[in-house]
């Protein structure tokens, strides 16, 4: 894990293009971990095909296209067709990796993900870019309710990776997960947060930091923020644990319950609205187990969000490091 | 392994007409006594399905999952009654199973599920078929398979934008192993086709498809159109079929509201008799 405490990038105030992740000083990053891993994997697995809906450049699939041009298809700005075509390819024995932005998959192609893919357990792996608040384009491009929508679909696996280390493992792992998988893709320069010993297992939440006083349950890149915040909080005398829920569905309720039991209070953090996503899943799991704990939800309110730089938006909507520290240290 | 129609035999129009009549009989028997159903569309499609399954398509009734099979994608899942009739006629499902059509726990639901042997796609949410057929055609070509994909969809489905997305894709990816069978029967749920979609053939031609327009209740025209669809010229093929809802039973053909036909219990026997007399 990176040792440097989180600070915001020196280039502040700039609205970054097309969902580039925020640069954080001192963080090691990898360029396009999805595309490079897929290109390598496809050399071993001839049944892999790759598709995009006019978002090849912006969803990191170009390394795959360059390595395997005959197995790459750009269907144009047609997300319904992206998913239908992928389903058809899957039904002839292919593993179809699809890319575009999360919003276009979830809001526009929902029926096709549900019926053409999930209902048939079609071997379609959707790498959905720019999940949550990762961009400066406003509500048209911010998938802040995608987990809520997608968890409503039966027989669909949903993965929200933390960083480049996990994402690379996910790209490989999903090839062997039966059926349709929705992955919140991290594109561009993706930070390396987790150590080389981290092992992604579908459906398993992982304790990344044991902690004693407060337990953070988080998903996606918010886990990286949680780890940074937990380190900063340690300097202020509060020992926070971190449980990373890399798989949203199937949800690892058992690990969440075991983890939450150990703490007097719990923080749930996600790059998504606090309704319908991870926080809702945690509450359901704990309630079913008869556990009631003081809980702070770090995530987005039920709203549409404005355009702006990543730093501006995160501060404005209360999903940045200071917000974490208030929750961990001050219990607010 | 018993692969049917390989290579395509010379057409026996009389035998195919007899198969089509069998399909209509099966559909009427399945629907009989239920009081309602998508009979009209099924009767209208019987000639196409008979020609496809007993002349043009390659498949193995003993092994519906045979990798080298031609695919038939039924996009209009509510035509399931026609699908089951042809699957039974082809020997892919058992004849006696047809009586379970639409019953609780049946493998033959009112709208098609792909766990029924011989059914390639979950149908019923309209506008899904052509895109999946394009993907299947691309996948088969990647494997170097000579198999083809036949995709039925209806004129009403051309109101779904996803069908046009798929039409563009099929032409862009040069799916000449794909044949669209468009059931232009002029009806949809609320009555006659509501939003202007004609001229269907001209539109698909403009989209890059090789298109022919035929009487979808003429087995002779169907045989010819399917033969020309084998041309590997880089273009997907569209057969625009003008069909008559209820074809084969004049009383059903004469119904104004033919999309979802309601039939009094007393009428079934008379309609089945009419089918035999009319086609005798």
């Amino acid at each position: 894990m990176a040792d440097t405490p989180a600070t915001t990038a020196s280039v502040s105030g700039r609205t970054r293009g097309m969902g580039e992740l925020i640069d954080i000083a001192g963080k090691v990053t990898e360029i396009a971990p999805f595309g490079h891993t897929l290109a390598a994997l496809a050399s071993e697995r001839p049944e892999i095909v790759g598709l995009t809906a006019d978002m090849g450049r912006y969803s990191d699939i170009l390394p795959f296209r360059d390595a395997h041009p005959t197995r790459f298809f750009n269907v144009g700005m047609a997300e319904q067709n992206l998913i239908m075509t992928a389903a058809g390819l899957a039904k002839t024995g292919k593993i179809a990796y699809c890319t575009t932005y999360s919003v276009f998959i979830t809001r526009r192609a929902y029926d096709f993900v549900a019926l053409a893919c999930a209902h048939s357990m079609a071997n379609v792996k959707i790498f959905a870019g720019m999940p949550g608040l990762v961009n400066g384009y406003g509500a048209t491009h911010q998938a802040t309710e995608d987990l809520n929508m997608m968890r409503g679909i039966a027989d669909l696996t949903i993965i929200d990776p933390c960083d480049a280390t996990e994402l690379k493992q996910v790209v490989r792992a999903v090839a062997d997960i039966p059926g349709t998988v929705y992955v919140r893709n991290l594109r561009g320069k993706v930070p390396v947060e987790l150590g080389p010993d981290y092992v992604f297992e579908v459906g398993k939440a992982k304790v990344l930091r044991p902690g004693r006083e407060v337990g953070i349950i988080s998903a996606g890149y918010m886990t990286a923020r949680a780890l940074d915040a937990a380190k900063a909080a340690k300097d202020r005398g509060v020992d926070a644990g971190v449980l990373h829920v890399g798989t949203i569905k199937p949800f690892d309720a058992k690990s969440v319950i075991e983890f939450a039991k150990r703490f007097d209070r719990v923080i749930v953090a996600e790059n998504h609205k606090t309704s319908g996503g991870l926080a809702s899943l945690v509450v359901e799991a704990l309630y079913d187990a008869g556990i009631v704990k003081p809980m702070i939800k770090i995530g987005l309110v039920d709203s549409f969000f404005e355009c702006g730089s990543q730093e501006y938006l995160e501060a404005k909507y209360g999903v940045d490091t200071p917000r974490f520290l208030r929750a961990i240290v001050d219990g607010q | 392994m018993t692969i049917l129609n390989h290579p395509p035999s010379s057409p026996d129009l009389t035998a195919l007409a007899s198969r089509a009549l069998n399909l209509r009989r099966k559909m009427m028997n399945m629907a009989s006594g239920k009081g309602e159903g998508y009979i009209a569309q099924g009767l209208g499609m019987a000639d196409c399905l008979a020609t496809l399954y007993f002349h043009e398509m390659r498949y193995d009734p003993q092994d519906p999952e045979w990798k080298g099979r031609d695919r038939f994608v039924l996009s209009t899942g509510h035509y399931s009654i026609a699908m089951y009739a042809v699957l039974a006629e082809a020997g892919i499902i058992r004849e006696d199973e047809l009586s379970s059509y639409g019953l609780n726990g049946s493998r033959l639901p009112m709208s098609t599920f792909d766990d029924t042997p011989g059914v390639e796609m979950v149908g019923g949410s309209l506008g899904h078929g052509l895109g999946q057929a394009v993907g299947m055609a691309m996948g088969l070509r990647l494997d170097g398979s000579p198999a083809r994909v036949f995709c039925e969809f209806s004129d009403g489905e051309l109101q779904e934008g996803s069908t046009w997305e798929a039409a563009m894709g099929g032409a862009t990816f040069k799916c000449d192993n794909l044949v669209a069978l468009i059931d232009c029967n002029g009806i949809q749920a609320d009555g006659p086709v509501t939003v202007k979609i004609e001229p269907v053939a001209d539109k698909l031609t403009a989209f890059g498809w090789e298109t022919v327009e035929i009487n979808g209740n003429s087995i002779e025209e169907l045989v010819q159109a399917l033969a020309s669809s084998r041309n590997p010229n880089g273009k997907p093929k569209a057969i625009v079929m003008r069909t008559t809802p209820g074809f084969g039973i004049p009383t059903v053909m004469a119904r104004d509201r033919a999309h979802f036909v309601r039939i009094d219990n007393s009428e079934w026997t008379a309609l089945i008799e009419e089918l035999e007399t009319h086609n005798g």
Side-chain angles (χ1 to χ4, degrees):
Chain A
M1 309 197 186
D3 291 320
T4 314
T7 54
T8 50
S10 55
V11 226
S12 60
R14 176 167 75 90
T15 300
R16 289 180 173 75
M18 295 293 188
E20 180 185 332
L21 285 173
I22 184 171
D23 285 318
I24 295 178
K27 296 282 189 188
V28 176
T29 58
E30 285 195 26
I31 301 279
F34 161 71
H36 289 295
T37 308
L38 183 62
L41 178 66
S43 297
E44 305 157 24
R45 306 280 293 257
E47 72 273 34
I48 287 178
V49 294
L51 299 96
T52 192
D54 191 40
M55 283 291 144
R57 191 180 302 282
Y58 304 109
S59 60
D60 285 354
I61 202 173
L62 297 190
F64 170 84
R65 177 199 67 180
D66 295 343
H68 309 283
T70 60
R71 288 193 261 156
F72 173 78
F73 306 103
N74 188 340
V75 304
M77 284 182 269
E79 292 76 20
Q80 299 173 108
N81 198 33
L82 174 76
I83 299 300
M84 287 190 288
T85 306
L89 281 157
K91 286 166 187 177
T92 60
K94 308 298 174 204
I95 306 174
Y97 282 71
C98 303
T99 59
T100 182
Y101 290 168
S102 302
V103 277
F104 305 140
I105 293 290
T106 54
R107 293 178 188 153
R108 187 161 296 201
Y110 191 78
D111 185 41
F112 298 85
V113 175
L115 294 174
C117 298
H119 195 303
S120 298
M121 294 290 285
N123 226 340
V124 174
K125 318 302 177 188
I126 301 164
F127 280 74
M130 297 214 298
L133 209 54
V134 193
N135 81 96
Y137 282 79
T140 56
H141 289 61
Q142 290 164 341
T144 53
E145 73 288 283
D146 62 325
L147 296 178
N148 190 11
M149 293 179 73
M150 299 313 258
R151 62 177 279 221
I153 298 178
D155 294 333
L156 181 74
T157 300
I158 303 171
I159 297 169
D160 194 4
C162 167
D163 75 335
T165 301
E166 185 169 46
L167 177 57
K168 287 192 292 182
Q169 295 184 37
V170 168
V171 172
R172 290 182 167 273
V174 295
D176 296 314
I177 297 172
T180 306
V181 183
Y182 175 82
V183 181
R184 297 184 108 199
N185 199 11
L186 301 171
R187 65 159 293 269
K189 287 192 287 182
V190 181
V192 179
E193 306 277 358
L194 303 172
D197 53 340
Y198 178 82
V199 178
F200 168 79
E201 287 178 273
V202 66
K204 294 273 193 264
K206 301 275 173 163
V207 177
L208 300 181
R209 191 181 164 100
R212 287 189 297 115
E213 286 149 275
V214 56
I216 305 173
I217 300 167
S218 59
Y221 78 49
M222 288 297 270
T223 294
R225 310 289 162 91
L227 289 168
D228 289 338
K231 279 180 206 144
K234 189 77 186 286
D235 297 338
R236 300 193 194 184
V238 181
D239 188 6
V242 176
L243 178 75
H244 172 56
V245 186
T247 311
I248 298 293
K249 189 173 184 174
F251 185 64
D252 187 0
K254 184 165 172 283
S255 297
V256 165
I257 291 163
E258 281 171 11
F259 182 78
K261 271 184 181 169
R262 298 201 290 110
F263 300 97
D264 293 333
R265 55 193 183 89
V266 171
I267 296 167
V268 182
E270 61 195 308
N271 179 25
H272 185 269
K273 289 185 199 175
T274 56
S275 57
L278 179 68
S280 295
L281 284 160
V282 170
V283 169
E284 287 170 19
L286 296 185
Y287 186 92
D288 286 347
I291 298 168
V292 177
K293 301 268 180 183
M295 181 184 290
I296 292 175
K297 297 171 183 171
I298 298 180
L300 302 167
V301 297
D302 185 26
S303 177
F304 290 108
F305 305 95
E306 54 179 277
C307 299
S309 70
Q310 192 73 27
E311 301 93 320
Y312 168 79
L313 293 174
E314 290 193 5
K316 172 154 187 166
Y317 296 114
V319 289
D320 56 357
T321 303
R323 173 72 191 103
F324 265 103
L325 285 175
R326 273 203 311 282
I328 299 169
V329 178
D330 305 327
Q332 302 171 359
Chain B
M1 184 176 261
T2 319
I3 300 165
L4 293 187
N5 309 322
H6 175 55
S9 53
S10 59
D12 180 341
L13 300 181
T14 311
L16 291 174
S18 167
R19 293 285 194 181
L21 178 58
N22 282 349
L23 298 185
R24 293 189 166 97
R25 286 180 178 133
K26 284 182 169 64
M27 289 183 231
M28 291 304 287
N29 286 335
M30 270 187 272
S32 181
K34 288 191 166 64
E36 57 191 14
Y38 292 96
I39 282 291
Q41 296 92 330
L43 293 170
M45 275 294 290
D47 301 300
C48 170
L49 292 173
T51 309
L52 257 189
Y53 274 79
F54 300 102
H55 176 65
E56 188 69 24
M57 269 174 53
R58 296 173 57 204
Y59 59 98
D60 178 0
Q62 268 79 55
D63 182 10
E65 302 286 308
W66 171 49
K67 214 177 162 188
R69 73 190 182 280
D70 289 340
R71 271 69 169 173
F72 174 64
V73 176
L74 180 82
S75 190
T76 53
H78 53 292
Y79 287 19
S80 63
I81 196 166
M83 186 84 219
Y84 305 144
V86 81
L87 292 177
E89 183 74 11
I92 294 171
I93 61 173
R94 290 193 327 272
E95 183 96 24
D96 60 6
E97 195 172 352
L98 293 182
S99 59
S100 74
Y101 165 67
L103 300 183
N104 292 341
S106 170
R107 288 200 307 177
L108 312 180
M110 293 285 281
S111 192
T112 44
F113 279 9
D114 58 358
D115 49 6
T116 307
V119 175
E120 303 282 356
M121 191 192 88
V122 176
S125 182
L126 299 176
H128 278 237
L130 188 59
Q132 293 190 54
V134 167
M136 288 178 192
M138 290 160 68
L140 291 167
R141 186 173 55 196
L142 277 173
D143 288 340
S145 169
R148 293 193 294 157
V149 182
F150 298 91
C151 177
E152 176 275 348
F153 57 95
S154 68
D155 45 2
E157 280 191 273
L158 288 165
Q159 293 165 1
E160 296 282 2
S162 57
T163 304
W164 295 105
E165 290 185 8
M168 287 186 275
T172 299
F173 298 116
K174 300 182 167 47
C175 295
D176 57 11
N177 54 348
L178 170 64
V179 183
L181 301 160
I182 307 160
D183 182 27
C184 291
N185 59 16
I187 54 170
Q188 58 185 112
D190 274 349
V193 167
T194 55
V195 171
K196 181 177 164 57
I197 51 149
E198 297 293 349
V200 171
D202 289 352
K203 283 175 178 161
L204 283 164
T205 302
F207 272 58
W209 289 61
E210 182 174 298
T211 311
V212 293
E213 189 160 352
I214 63 165
N215 173 359
N217 295 118
S218 161
I219 287 171
E220 194 171 359
E221 290 185 31
L222 283 159
V223 164
Q224 283 172 5
L226 287 167
S228 68
S229 77
R230 293 174 210 148
N231 183 11
N233 62 353
K235 287 187 170 190
K237 314 300 188 303
I239 301 177
V240 176
M241 306 184 301
R242 302 291 165 188
T243 63
T244 303
F247 193 85
I249 305 183
T251 301
V252 181
M253 290 162 76
R255 295 264 163 132
D256 283 341
R257 290 183 51 78
H259 178 81
F260 190 79
V261 175
R262 290 199 164 76
I263 291 171
D264 291 338
N265 276 341
S266 58
E267 267 190 293
W268 286 103
T269 314
L271 291 176
I272 291 168
E273 278 171 15
E274 191 181 324
L275 173 67
E276 299 297 339
T277 314
H278 184 71
N279 298 280

